[in-house]
Amino acid sequence: MHGGAPAVAPGWTTGGSVSSPTTRAAGPRNQSKGASVATPAVVEISRWQFAITAVFHMSFPALTVGLSLFLAVMYTVYVRTGNPLYLQVFRFWKKIFAVGFGLGVVAGTVMTFEFGLNWGSYAHAVGPILGVTIGMEVITAFFLEAGFIGIVLYGDGRVRPRTMAFACWMIVVGTLLSTTWILSANSWMQDPVGFTEVKGQFRASDWWHVLFNPAFSYRYPHILLAVLISACWFIGGIAAWYLVKQRALPFARRTLSIALGVLAILMPVQLYVGDATAAFMGAHQPAKLQAFEGNWKTDNNGYNLLVVPNTAKGENEFHVEIPHMGAVIGKDLTGQAKVPGLLQTAKGDRPNMWSAFYGFRAMYFTALAMFAMAFAGVVLRLRGRLYTARRFHRLMVWMAPAGVIAISGGWITAETGRQPWVVYGLIRTSDAVSQLSLGAALASLIGFVSVYALLLGLWIRYIVRTVRTGPEHLVADASPTINPSGVSHV
């Protein structure tokens, strides 16, 4: 796992209970008699640590997968047209992409070590399947990216332009391969198929079903669209900032136009794909749907906007709802159908409603805001006001991190909604943690939080400084050439 893919997540914080198993076939989840189990405190600390490292890592591929495609398109258009504006765009965004890609590599590498150190029981059980999947990501995606990233970052003006463009597209292929392998692995954890259990380990009996499991066909296009959309909002938000400040106007207009043009196409598609994904996961993991709908009893046809769950009592202390809207969203236009409640699920198999409900709301409401802004962009473009609507530009600046927020909310929903299982129906999270002392687990958590907070602060500071510095100045003649001296020609 590196700069090109979201993470495989063995355990997230505030999941559900860790008691009785479900009706799934028995597997390594069943501890042998007398086997030691990590203490609840160590389990929770390990889950918090992985949750923090996973969200931190995901914030980079949420941008760099889409940015790699954007850079490849910009440089290819520059090679074909000789228009220096596209080279200016490429060089500016290459700086942000480079640092984000590097930090993603570091964060992803750390997570790989966490599997063995904090989640040793999990790693032992799923190693014959997920070890191969993640290994294939390294062999294909990581090696491909490692072979061409140097050309992309340092080859401008030093290698032939067509070679440079080819290298950019190889990075795109690498990030897409990485996303594919990691989503395949994580989707298998959500809907495990194609395996047999041999001496406490899951082994593949049908690799095709393992890699292209039912959940993958829904979740892969959903996350792929999400990372492309996330990059577009980031690009569009920064372009809007330049329009607000009346700086680098040709650069700002072109990048804003491209970002909003892509968003106008992708946002409606993503809403459709997201709805299909939620329906599929609700059918395969009904407790997840019950938790993110925010109902305990199956007696409500409304859509909950706000809930204050009381897990011990199995009821909401407070809630705000839109009457009948829950049934309508569930495709009952009469508005009378009841939304399933979490009490339908056995107490020991319930996910935590707090995290699933608000993770889903963060994703869903942010997606609606993004759709509205993309639609407004289409209207402004048709009216010829896309580059002069100052209030819209200011809103676009605030929308720059919207894609990352939506992705984080979606992954929190997916992972906490799967709890108390690390591999759904097969391994409980409490059974997956290594035998660690409380002090070691706590020291590790504090260390990770401190270092990652520092890295995140430096990453944001670098972006702010790069944006304030602005893109390079355009020159009249910037036709694609090789500069033997190695000095950039623009």
Side-chain angles (χ1 to χ4, degrees):
M1 290 160 297
H2 47 91
V8 178
W12 282 66
T13 154
T14 62
S17 168
V18 291
S19 56
S20 62
T22 66
T23 56
R24 285 252 184 169
R29 62 159 194 244
N30 296 322
Q31 299 292 319
S32 59
K33 188 174 182 179
S36 58
V37 178
T39 64
V42 171
V43 172
E44 286 302 307
I45 290 172
S46 296
R47 293 170 71 188
W48 272 109
Q49 178 174 307
F50 202 94
I52 292 169
T53 54
V55 171
F56 178 80
H57 168 68
M58 279 166 40
S59 66
F60 300 108
L63 297 176
T64 55
V65 173
L67 281 178
S68 69
L69 179 59
F70 179 72
L71 290 174
V73 171
M74 291 298 98
Y75 197 84
T76 300
V77 174
Y78 161 66
V79 171
R80 292 180 64 87
T81 66
N83 187 340
L85 178 59
Y86 294 103
L87 181 62
Q88 182 190 43
V89 173
F90 171 81
R91 287 179 172 171
F92 174 84
W93 281 105
K94 181 180 69 173
K95 299 173 186 176
I96 294 175
F97 168 81
V99 177
F101 185 90
L103 287 173
V105 169
V106 173
T109 302
V110 168
M111 290 176 64
T112 305
F113 284 103
E114 280 188 87
F115 290 146
L117 297 175
N118 288 77
W119 301 90
S121 299
Y122 159 83
H124 171 76
V126 304
I129 290 180
L130 297 191
V132 173
T133 309
I134 296 173
M136 288 302 297
E137 186 228 359
V138 174
I139 293 172
T140 58
F142 188 78
F143 282 10
L144 185 63
E145 292 167 339
F148 288 97
I149 189 67
I151 298 175
V152 172
L153 299 184
Y154 303 108
D156 184 18
R158 294 178 172 88
V159 301
R160 293 177 59 189
R162 291 187 181 275
T163 302
M164 183 75 175
F166 179 77
C168 290
W169 284 105
M170 288 300 98
I171 295 297
V172 175
V173 173
T175 59
L176 294 179
L177 281 172
S178 181
T179 303
T180 302
W181 287 113
I182 295 302
L183 258 294
S184 174
N186 185 269
S187 295
W188 184 84
M189 293 165 58
Q190 298 281 351
D191 191 16
V193 294
F195 67 91
T196 58
E197 189 267 313
V198 180
K199 296 181 179 180
Q201 289 188 310
F202 297 116
R203 299 183 181 180
S205 58
D206 188 328
W207 275 108
W208 180 264
H209 286 144
V210 168
L211 297 176
F212 302 102
N213 51 79
F216 176 79
S217 62
Y218 287 88
R219 301 178 77 239
Y220 180 68
H222 185 44
I223 193 64
L224 186 58
L225 287 167
V227 293
L228 297 178
I229 288 169
S230 178
C232 285
W233 283 111
F234 191 55
I235 293 166
I238 290 178
W241 186 84
Y242 284 117
L243 289 174
V244 170
K245 298 297 183 180
Q246 290 293 290
R247 292 178 53 193
L249 294 181
F251 168 92
R253 289 167 181 162
R254 187 62 52 90
T255 49
L256 180 68
S257 177
I258 292 171
L260 286 174
V262 174
L263 287 168
I265 298 171
L266 296 187
M267 283 306 308
V269 178
Q270 177 68 317
L271 290 179
Y272 173 81
V273 172
D275 180 69
T277 303
F280 172 84
M281 297 311 299
H284 283 71
Q285 298 181 16
K288 178 183 293 185
L289 182 144
Q290 296 159 11
F292 72 62
E293 290 292 352
N295 296 303
W296 292 94
K297 298 179 180 179
T298 309
D299 61 356
N300 182 22
N301 56 25
Y303 182 80
N304 290 316
L305 300 175
L306 178 70
V307 299
V308 180
N310 186 323
T311 303
K313 294 182 179 179
E315 62 183 32
N316 290 327
E317 300 286 354
F318 176 79
H319 76 280
V320 177
E321 69 174 64
I322 302 176
H324 305 289
M325 183 58 69
V328 173
I329 292 176
K331 299 180 174 59
D332 174 26
L333 299 184
T334 67
Q336 300 304 315
K338 305 301 182 182
V339 180
L342 193 54
L343 291 179
Q344 291 186 6
T345 299
K347 186 174 183 180
D349 295 331
R350 294 173 192 165
N352 184 276
M353 186 180 287
W354 281 98
S355 51
F357 180 87
Y358 286 106
F360 183 82
R361 294 307 180 277
M363 175 188 67
Y364 183 61
F365 291 150
T366 304
L368 293 181
M370 291 189 290
F371 177 80
M373 287 292 289
F375 181 78
V378 172
V379 173
L380 289 172
R381 189 190 297 270
L382 293 176
R383 291 183 175 181
R385 297 184 54 231
L386 183 60
Y387 307 128
T388 58
R390 297 299 178 84
R391 186 175 300 175
F392 176 76
H393 297 159
R394 291 188 177 93
L395 288 175
M396 280 292 298
V397 174
W398 285 102
M399 290 293 290
V404 177
I405 293 171
I407 289 175
S408 298
W411 275 79
I412 289 171
T413 303
E415 299 305 318
T416 62
R418 187 187 61 213
Q419 299 298 318
W421 306 100
V422 61
V423 178
Y424 187 71
L426 298 173
I427 309 177
R428 290 185 177 272
T429 304
S430 59
D431 298 333
V433 179
S434 302
Q435 302 303 312
L436 302 172
S437 69
L438 179 61
L442 187 60
S444 178
L445 172 63
I446 294 173
F448 272 108
V449 170
S450 301
V451 172
Y452 277 18
L454 175 62
L455 289 176
L456 182 61
L458 293 174
W459 162 238
I460 295 173
R461 181 181 178 184
Y462 174 79
I463 292 174
V464 171
R465 187 179 67 180
T466 302
V467 171
R468 286 179 174 173
T469 301
E472 301 174 357
H473 293 293
L474 284 169
V475 295
D477 182 16
S479 57
T481 58
I482 301 174
N483 185 348
S485 68
V487 179
S488 181
H489 54 273
V490 174

